[in-house]
Structure formats: C-alpha cells, structure tokens
Amino acid sequence: MTVVNQIKAWTGTTTCKRGEENCMYELISVTPFLIKASKTSPSTKSVSDLTFTLAPTMELSRCLVTGDAISESSMSWSENGIPYCSLEDLIIGSGLGKTPGFKEFTSDWICLGFSLGNCTTTTSLKRTIGE
C-alpha cells in the first residue's frame, strides 16, 4: 500500500512547491489488485486518470504492476509527459523505485510524451526501456 500512502500524502495543494507537481492527487478507489486515482496538474490544470493494476507472479516475493495514466483532455505532445510523470513521481516518492529488482519498461510508443517528461521527483531514477 506504499503507493496508496503516497497518493494520500500528496492530496490537496499543501505539498505543492513552486514549479513542482507533487500535489493535487486524489485517491479514487483501492482493491487488492487495483488502485485508481486522479492527478490535477497545478501548472496546466489538466487532469489525468491513474490506474495501477497489480498481478501476482510465480515468485511469491514479486508482483507485476502495470501503471496507466490517461489524460482527460486530448493527449498531445504539448503535455510534456505530465501523465507519465504523475505515475513515475508516485513510484519514486513512495520509494518503490529503489526496491531491489525494480524495472521500468516504457517508451514513446507505449506512453505518448515519455521522452519529453520533466518529472519533478525522478532525477535519480534510471529508466530501463525495453529490457
């Protein structure tokens, strides 16, 4: 529930810092295999619907998490990867990005604007593309 706790920590505007996006998250629902949230960008006011789908793997100590961020406005390159960064900032902010065995698989083909993302929390994350 680390991601859920991070969403709750970044709810509202009190965690907004000048030029950063780590605020204005809203937890929508939580089930054992699905976390739904939304994120409003304080800079552009665009809203992204966020979904984390959790699936067990053959190894009991691991699980597969798929994150989706879908902009409620028309997706365009002009969003500078804000929907992607909304997911990535949660992973890094919660500490899950430093978990042993963590790997991220994405690209501009999978996530429009991925390479344009100017994420605020993720400067230390090594992006693993297509391994």
Side-chain angles (χ1 to χ4, degrees):
M1 290 300 176
T2 304
V3 171
V4 171
N5 292 337
Q6 194 62 54
I7 292 167
K8 289 177 180 178
W10 286 345
T11 298
T13 59
T14 57
T15 57
C16 291
K17 294 179 184 172
R18 190 173 195 182
E20 292 188 4
E21 294 278 333
N22 298 332
C23 57
M24 299 178 71
Y25 284 85
E26 180 183 350
L27 185 63
I28 306 297
S29 65
V30 179
T31 67
F33 298 105
L34 188 66
I35 300 167
K36 289 187 176 188
S38 68
K39 164 74 168 99
T40 302
S41 169
S43 60
T44 66
K45 305 301 182 216
S46 64
V47 177
S48 298
D49 297 319
L50 311 177
T51 304
F52 290 94
T53 305
L54 293 78
T57 65
M58 298 298 280
E59 295 179 51
L60 295 178
S61 64
R62 295 181 180 234
C63 77
L64 175 66
V65 178
T66 303
D68 295 299
I70 300 172
S71 175
E72 289 185 2
S73 62
S74 61
M75 263 314 254
S76 72
W77 288 99
S78 64
E79 288 192 316
N80 293 328
I82 289 174
Y84 165 77
C85 288
S86 297
L87 294 173
E88 185 171 87
D89 286 346
L90 284 172
I91 296 299
I92 301 307
S94 69
L96 290 176
K98 294 182 180 179
T99 303
F102 173 82
K103 290 190 177 165
E104 176 185 31
F105 299 97
T106 194
S107 68
D108 280 321
W109 288 98
I110 297 168
C111 182
L112 183 63
F114 161 72
S115 63
L116 297 175
N118 184 14
C119 305
T120 56
T121 305
T122 58
T123 55
S124 64
L125 176 68
K126 178 186 171 204
R127 292 182 173 161
T128 306
I129 304 172
E131 282 186 3

